[in-house]
Amino acid sequence: MGIFKRRRGDTAALEAEALVRRIERAVSSGKTGAVTDEARAELRECLAEAESRLGDGHRATQLALHHLSVGLLLHTSLVAEAEAGFRRLRKVRGQALTDRATPFLLRLHAVSLSRLGRHEEAAREYEAVGDQLGDHVDELSSAWLGVRALRSAELCHLRRFAEAEADARAIIERSVFTRAPTGLFVRWIATHALSHALTRQGRPEEAESLARKALAAMRVRQDGRGDLVFSLEQSLVHALSAQGRHAEALDCVTSARQAYNPPLHFDAAEVHTAGVPTAEALLGLGRHDEAAQAARDTITALTELFSPDHACVRDARELLERATSPTAR
């Protein structure tokens, strides 16, 4: 009996190793880090096979589920399925502080929640990541500052602007102690949130100054992160519109769209969020029909790609109501 058990164990180990190799080949097939449709199909097959043969707790099952969920997250119309995958991984793996992969998993889950418009949950998740990291690393570490910066952006989605301002200022102050390029990356994210928070609290001149200084610093450093340029220029657009400088704001929207660059580091759907400041600026210029169309296009695109509950969809709906109101003309 001992011999047969050992043979069955050896066979199971070989099957598991073969599955792991299939999973790794599927992931490496993406040329730019993205997961192709063919790779997703292969990962689905690997996941089904691992579940049936090895169970939820096996490394091969978790590996397939992890890579599949990441691939689904990059494919923005499949975010809901990605969120379910990350949630399932959390239940299987637990949230032990000794598990070094847990903060990364929580962060991915927070990203998926944010894209689904579940901003309150996302903010709590980012806070949970920060708390877990804070127990093991110094609070000035790049990982800790990074998740706190993302949380400040989430607070802006929740319109908790005073909190977002306080968080973002603290992050920017601490980021100077983190070496480039990570410290700069964190600073730009926090500056985007801070600028937006200031505008929404009636301080658009201060918001404009912050955004312009950050963009100038990025140009000096020849920073190639088009996603961050895009975000900062959107903050600048809101600040200009809040000052009644709507024509300048529209020019800045064009510049922001031109800064867009595709993944690896940038979500393709994010470019549609530019429809919100576009509609805002057009409305300020009295171009109500164009503003209404920009808002409708944004609602359609982001509802399909993210969720009808996303903050940008909410903002676009409010702008559409203003543009089509009989009292607006």
Side-chain angles (χ1 to χ4, degrees), residues 128-139:
V129 182
D131 289 345
Q132 290 209 346
L133 288 170
D135 286 339
H136 295 276
V137 299
D138 187 275
E139 288 192 352

Side-chain angles (χ1 to χ4, degrees), residues 80-206:
E81 190 179 348
E83 189 276 328
F86 292 130
R87 184 161 23 92
R88 181 179 156 195
L89 276 171
R90 287 185 56 184
K91 288 180 180 178
V92 172
R93 296 178 65 99
Q95 297 184 39
L97 293 174
T98 53
D99 184 352
R100 295 179 63 187
T102 295
F104 182 61
L105 175 58
L106 287 172
R107 181 170 176 167
L108 287 170
H109 191 211
V111 171
S112 65
L113 289 168
S114 179
R115 291 182 185 173
L116 289 171
R118 293 160 61 180
H119 302 296
E120 191 72 54
E121 292 176 74
R124 287 198 300 268
E125 201 85 330
Y126 282 129
E127 190 166 12
V129 182
D131 289 345
Q132 290 209 346
L133 288 170
D135 286 339
H136 295 276
V137 299
D138 187 275
E139 288 192 352
L140 296 179
S141 79
S142 58
W144 186 88
L145 287 173
V147 294
R148 299 302 294 186
L150 291 168
R151 180 177 179 272
S152 66
E154 216 59 43
L155 291 173
C156 284
H157 284 320
L158 291 166
R159 294 178 173 172
R160 290 157 56 181
F161 298 118
E163 285 181 72
E165 177 187 350
D167 267 17
R169 286 192 186 281
I171 292 157
I172 290 168
E173 288 174 7
R174 296 175 185 185
S175 68
V176 300
F177 300 104
T178 302
R179 295 196 319 188
T182 305
L184 294 170
F185 168 73
V186 168
R187 197 176 311 162
W188 304 153
I189 294 176
T191 299
H192 162 57
L194 176 57
S195 178
H196 188 69
L198 289 170
T199 294
R200 295 313 187 203
Q201 292 180 94
R203 293 145 67 190
E205 295 87 357
E206 190 180 347

Side-chain angles (χ1 to χ4, degrees), residues 43-69 72 79-95 99 102 105-106 108-110 112-113 118 125:
L43 287 170
R44 287 187 195 280
E45 288 185 16
C46 290
L47 176 60
E49 193 172 328
E51 287 171 329
S52 64
R53 294 186 179 184
L54 305 168
D56 282 354
H58 196 278
R59 169 175 169 260
T61 307
Q62 293 180 26
L63 190 65
L65 182 56
H66 170 82
H67 286 302
L68 176 60
S69 299
L72 293 168
V79 175
E81 190 179 348
E83 189 276 328
F86 292 130
R87 184 161 23 92
R88 181 179 156 195
L89 276 171
R90 287 185 56 184
K91 288 180 180 178
V92 172
R93 296 178 65 99
Q95 297 184 39
D99 184 352
T102 295
L105 175 58
L106 287 172
L108 287 170
H109 191 211
S112 65
L113 289 168
R118 293 160 61 180
E125 201 85 330

